[in-house]
Amino acid sequence: MKRDLFKWTKSIAVCVLFSSTAFSQEEHLLITTPQVKISYVRGVCDVETGKQAYQFAFLKIENLTNANLHTGFNIVVQYDEGCAGCNGSDESLYYLSLTPNQVFTADCGTDEKSKIYLRNPNFSGAWNFQELRIENLVVE
């Protein structure tokens, strides 16, 4: 009985460790200039009631200056199976105005452009995320 309790406790501890590591708040730097820094963290959002949460990348955009900035860029999501936003189309364009030294951080409640869909674990044919890129950055 004691041995079974120890194995059960050990199994739970390992699961908690791996699940928190899989979606830790580790920040991934995408691009930095003297004016702006763009990074992201991975996370999950409940999208469908009773289903596993979807996986997203939440953009973090920092104005590194003491002036108002307007920035635009394409968001490219590379998967093992293909690419979303690789053609530089209007669908992948994102624009944001930032006040001096503002830090914008996306979350589950923000718009779809700054909360980037990565994977739906409920769909067996879901593509496998590789990397996120910023292309065609314009800062004014």
mmCIF file of all heavy atoms in Angstrom, residues 117-137:
data_model
loop_
_atom_site.group_PDB
_atom_site.id
_atom_site.type_symbol
_atom_site.label_atom_id
_atom_site.label_comp_id
_atom_site.label_asym_id
_atom_site.label_seq_id
_atom_site.Cartn_x
_atom_site.Cartn_y
_atom_site.Cartn_z
ATOM 1 N N TYR A 117 -2.956 31.661 -33.058
ATOM 2 C CA TYR A 117 -3.330 30.252 -32.969
ATOM 3 C C TYR A 117 -2.144 29.373 -33.353
ATOM 4 O O TYR A 117 -1.507 29.576 -34.379
ATOM 5 C CB TYR A 117 -4.512 29.979 -33.904
ATOM 6 C CG TYR A 117 -4.820 28.522 -34.100
ATOM 7 C CD1 TYR A 117 -5.618 27.838 -33.193
ATOM 8 C CD2 TYR A 117 -4.303 27.816 -35.186
ATOM 9 C CE1 TYR A 117 -5.900 26.491 -33.370
ATOM 10 C CE2 TYR A 117 -4.581 26.471 -35.367
ATOM 11 C CZ TYR A 117 -5.376 25.825 -34.460
ATOM 12 O OH TYR A 117 -5.654 24.485 -34.629
ATOM 13 N N LEU A 118 -1.860 28.383 -32.517
ATOM 14 C CA LEU A 118 -0.795 27.424 -32.813
ATOM 15 C C LEU A 118 -1.334 26.022 -33.059
ATOM 16 O O LEU A 118 -0.909 25.346 -33.990
ATOM 17 C CB LEU A 118 0.226 27.374 -31.674
ATOM 18 C CG LEU A 118 0.968 28.665 -31.363
ATOM 19 C CD1 LEU A 118 1.936 28.460 -30.211
ATOM 20 C CD2 LEU A 118 1.678 29.206 -32.594
ATOM 21 N N ARG A 119 -2.278 25.568 -32.201
ATOM 22 C CA ARG A 119 -2.721 24.168 -32.327
ATOM 23 C C ARG A 119 -4.005 23.933 -31.544
ATOM 24 O O ARG A 119 -4.202 24.461 -30.463
ATOM 25 C CB ARG A 119 -1.640 23.245 -31.788
ATOM 26 C CG ARG A 119 -1.866 21.780 -32.057
ATOM 27 C CD ARG A 119 -0.572 20.988 -31.830
ATOM 28 N NE ARG A 119 -0.622 19.712 -32.493
ATOM 29 C CZ ARG A 119 -1.245 18.646 -32.001
ATOM 30 N NH1 ARG A 119 -1.860 18.700 -30.849
ATOM 31 N NH2 ARG A 119 -1.235 17.509 -32.664
ATOM 32 N N ASN A 120 -4.859 23.065 -32.131
ATOM 33 C CA ASN A 120 -6.049 22.582 -31.457
ATOM 34 C C ASN A 120 -5.804 21.122 -31.101
ATOM 35 O O ASN A 120 -5.833 20.259 -31.980
ATOM 36 C CB ASN A 120 -7.267 22.719 -32.375
ATOM 37 C CG ASN A 120 -8.515 22.096 -31.793
ATOM 38 O OD1 ASN A 120 -8.496 21.487 -30.728
ATOM 39 N ND2 ASN A 120 -9.622 22.222 -32.505
ATOM 40 N N PRO A 121 -5.549 20.814 -29.828
ATOM 41 C CA PRO A 121 -5.240 19.431 -29.444
ATOM 42 C C PRO A 121 -6.428 18.475 -29.573
ATOM 43 O O PRO A 121 -6.250 17.265 -29.469
ATOM 44 C CB PRO A 121 -4.789 19.558 -27.992
ATOM 45 C CG PRO A 121 -5.451 20.790 -27.501
ATOM 46 C CD PRO A 121 -5.525 21.720 -28.681
ATOM 47 N N ASN A 122 -7.617 19.007 -29.826
ATOM 48 C CA ASN A 122 -8.802 18.166 -29.993
ATOM 49 C C ASN A 122 -8.919 17.606 -31.406
ATOM 50 O O ASN A 122 -9.730 16.730 -31.654
ATOM 51 C CB ASN A 122 -10.064 18.975 -29.672
ATOM 52 C CG ASN A 122 -10.013 19.540 -28.279
ATOM 53 O OD1 ASN A 122 -10.052 18.808 -27.305
ATOM 54 N ND2 ASN A 122 -9.885 20.854 -28.171
ATOM 55 N N PHE A 123 -8.135 18.121 -32.317
ATOM 56 C CA PHE A 123 -8.191 17.723 -33.725
ATOM 57 C C PHE A 123 -6.970 16.873 -34.048
ATOM 58 O O PHE A 123 -5.834 17.347 -33.990
ATOM 59 C CB PHE A 123 -8.237 18.975 -34.601
ATOM 60 C CG PHE A 123 -8.230 18.706 -36.073
ATOM 61 C CD1 PHE A 123 -9.170 17.876 -36.658
ATOM 62 C CD2 PHE A 123 -7.268 19.299 -36.884
ATOM 63 C CE1 PHE A 123 -9.157 17.635 -38.022
ATOM 64 C CE2 PHE A 123 -7.250 19.064 -38.248
ATOM 65 C CZ PHE A 123 -8.198 18.230 -38.819
ATOM 66 N N SER A 124 -7.196 15.616 -34.402
ATOM 67 C CA SER A 124 -6.078 14.692 -34.638
ATOM 68 C C SER A 124 -5.225 15.109 -35.832
ATOM 69 O O SER A 124 -4.048 14.766 -35.901
ATOM 70 C CB SER A 124 -6.590 13.266 -34.834
ATOM 71 O OG SER A 124 -7.426 13.203 -35.978
ATOM 72 N N GLY A 125 -5.763 15.869 -36.765
ATOM 73 C CA GLY A 125 -5.009 16.305 -37.932
ATOM 74 C C GLY A 125 -4.378 17.679 -37.775
ATOM 75 O O GLY A 125 -3.932 18.274 -38.752
ATOM 76 N N ALA A 126 -4.325 18.190 -36.542
ATOM 77 C CA ALA A 126 -3.766 19.532 -36.316
ATOM 78 C C ALA A 126 -2.295 19.578 -36.697
ATOM 79 O O ALA A 126 -1.553 18.624 -36.458
ATOM 80 C CB ALA A 126 -3.935 19.933 -34.847
ATOM 81 N N TRP A 127 -1.908 20.680 -37.311
ATOM 82 C CA TRP A 127 -0.509 20.861 -37.699
ATOM 83 C C TRP A 127 0.361 21.037 -36.462
ATOM 84 O O TRP A 127 -0.110 21.493 -35.418
ATOM 85 C CB TRP A 127 -0.378 22.070 -38.594
ATOM 86 C CG TRP A 127 -0.866 21.833 -39.999
ATOM 87 C CD1 TRP A 127 -1.546 20.744 -40.471
ATOM 88 C CD2 TRP A 127 -0.708 22.715 -41.106
ATOM 89 N NE1 TRP A 127 -1.821 20.891 -41.796
ATOM 90 C CE2 TRP A 127 -1.311 22.094 -42.220
ATOM 91 C CE3 TRP A 127 -0.120 23.955 -41.268
ATOM 92 C CZ2 TRP A 127 -1.329 22.685 -43.479
ATOM 93 C CZ3 TRP A 127 -0.148 24.544 -42.524
ATOM 94 C CH2 TRP A 127 -0.739 23.906 -43.613
ATOM 95 N N ASN A 128 1.650 20.709 -36.598
ATOM 96 C CA ASN A 128 2.611 20.772 -35.498
ATOM 97 C C ASN A 128 3.460 22.034 -35.617
ATOM 98 O O ASN A 128 4.213 22.195 -36.582
ATOM 99 C CB ASN A 128 3.491 19.524 -35.509
ATOM 100 C CG ASN A 128 2.670 18.272 -35.283
ATOM 101 O OD1 ASN A 128 2.055 18.105 -34.244
ATOM 102 N ND2 ASN A 128 2.617 17.398 -36.273
ATOM 103 N N PHE A 129 3.349 22.895 -34.625
ATOM 104 C CA PHE A 129 4.036 24.186 -34.603
ATOM 105 C C PHE A 129 5.552 24.013 -34.557
ATOM 106 O O PHE A 129 6.069 23.192 -33.806
ATOM 107 C CB PHE A 129 3.572 24.980 -33.376
ATOM 108 C CG PHE A 129 4.322 26.255 -33.150
ATOM 109 C CD1 PHE A 129 4.143 27.340 -33.978
ATOM 110 C CD2 PHE A 129 5.218 26.366 -32.092
ATOM 111 C CE1 PHE A 129 4.846 28.522 -33.764
ATOM 112 C CE2 PHE A 129 5.916 27.531 -31.870
ATOM 113 C CZ PHE A 129 5.728 28.620 -32.708
ATOM 114 N N GLN A 130 6.266 24.800 -35.384
ATOM 115 C CA GLN A 130 7.727 24.841 -35.378
ATOM 116 C C GLN A 130 8.235 26.167 -34.832
ATOM 117 O O GLN A 130 8.979 26.191 -33.865
ATOM 118 C CB GLN A 130 8.286 24.682 -36.802
ATOM 119 C CG GLN A 130 8.421 23.301 -37.275
ATOM 120 C CD GLN A 130 9.136 23.286 -38.637
ATOM 121 O OE1 GLN A 130 9.416 24.306 -39.258
ATOM 122 N NE2 GLN A 130 9.421 22.099 -39.094
ATOM 123 N N GLU A 131 7.846 27.285 -35.501
ATOM 124 C CA GLU A 131 8.361 28.585 -35.088
ATOM 125 C C GLU A 131 7.443 29.703 -35.523
ATOM 126 O O GLU A 131 6.601 29.541 -36.394
ATOM 127 C CB GLU A 131 9.764 28.824 -35.658
ATOM 128 C CG GLU A 131 9.793 29.057 -37.152
ATOM 129 C CD GLU A 131 11.163 29.461 -37.684
ATOM 130 O OE1 GLU A 131 12.019 29.889 -36.889
ATOM 131 O OE2 GLU A 131 11.359 29.350 -38.901
ATOM 132 N N LEU A 132 7.644 30.844 -34.902
ATOM 133 C CA LEU A 132 6.927 32.072 -35.200
ATOM 134 C C LEU A 132 7.967 33.086 -35.665
ATOM 135 O O LEU A 132 9.062 33.159 -35.095
ATOM 136 C CB LEU A 132 6.234 32.554 -33.921
ATOM 137 C CG LEU A 132 5.215 33.663 -34.021
ATOM 138 C CD1 LEU A 132 4.024 33.235 -34.847
ATOM 139 C CD2 LEU A 132 4.742 34.036 -32.623
ATOM 140 N N ARG A 133 7.644 33.848 -36.720
ATOM 141 C CA ARG A 133 8.560 34.864 -37.235
ATOM 142 C C ARG A 133 7.824 36.167 -37.482
ATOM 143 O O ARG A 133 6.627 36.171 -37.751
ATOM 144 C CB ARG A 133 9.190 34.422 -38.566
ATOM 145 C CG ARG A 133 10.089 33.228 -38.484
ATOM 146 C CD ARG A 133 10.837 32.958 -39.793
ATOM 147 N NE ARG A 133 10.015 32.920 -40.984
ATOM 148 C CZ ARG A 133 9.436 31.823 -41.483
ATOM 149 N NH1 ARG A 133 9.564 30.671 -40.851
ATOM 150 N NH2 ARG A 133 8.734 31.874 -42.585
ATOM 151 N N ILE A 134 8.578 37.261 -37.415
ATOM 152 C CA ILE A 134 8.084 38.581 -37.793
ATOM 153 C C ILE A 134 8.801 38.955 -39.074
ATOM 154 O O ILE A 134 10.035 38.882 -39.154
ATOM 155 C CB ILE A 134 8.373 39.617 -36.686
ATOM 156 C CG1 ILE A 134 7.673 39.234 -35.374
ATOM 157 C CG2 ILE A 134 7.995 41.019 -37.139
ATOM 158 C CD1 ILE A 134 6.174 39.193 -35.424
ATOM 159 N N GLU A 135 8.036 39.367 -40.087
ATOM 160 C CA GLU A 135 8.623 39.799 -41.359
ATOM 161 C C GLU A 135 8.063 41.158 -41.733
ATOM 162 O O GLU A 135 6.962 41.533 -41.294
ATOM 163 C CB GLU A 135 8.344 38.771 -42.450
ATOM 164 C CG GLU A 135 9.010 37.430 -42.216
ATOM 165 C CD GLU A 135 8.743 36.406 -43.302
ATOM 166 O OE1 GLU A 135 7.915 36.674 -44.205
ATOM 167 O OE2 GLU A 135 9.369 35.333 -43.247
ATOM 168 N N ASN A 136 8.796 41.883 -42.568
ATOM 169 C CA ASN A 136 8.360 43.169 -43.120
ATOM 170 C C ASN A 136 8.042 44.201 -42.034
ATOM 171 O O ASN A 136 7.057 44.929 -42.131
ATOM 172 C CB ASN A 136 7.163 42.988 -44.052
ATOM 173 C CG ASN A 136 7.404 41.959 -45.128
ATOM 174 O OD1 ASN A 136 8.479 41.918 -45.715
ATOM 175 N ND2 ASN A 136 6.434 41.100 -45.371
ATOM 176 N N LEU A 137 8.869 44.268 -41.012
ATOM 177 C CA LEU A 137 8.656 45.205 -39.903
ATOM 178 C C LEU A 137 8.828 46.650 -40.379
ATOM 179 O O LEU A 137 9.815 46.987 -41.023
ATOM 180 C CB LEU A 137 9.641 44.926 -38.769
ATOM 181 C CG LEU A 137 9.598 45.878 -37.575
ATOM 182 C CD1 LEU A 137 8.280 45.717 -36.819
ATOM 183 C CD2 LEU A 137 10.774 45.623 -36.654
#
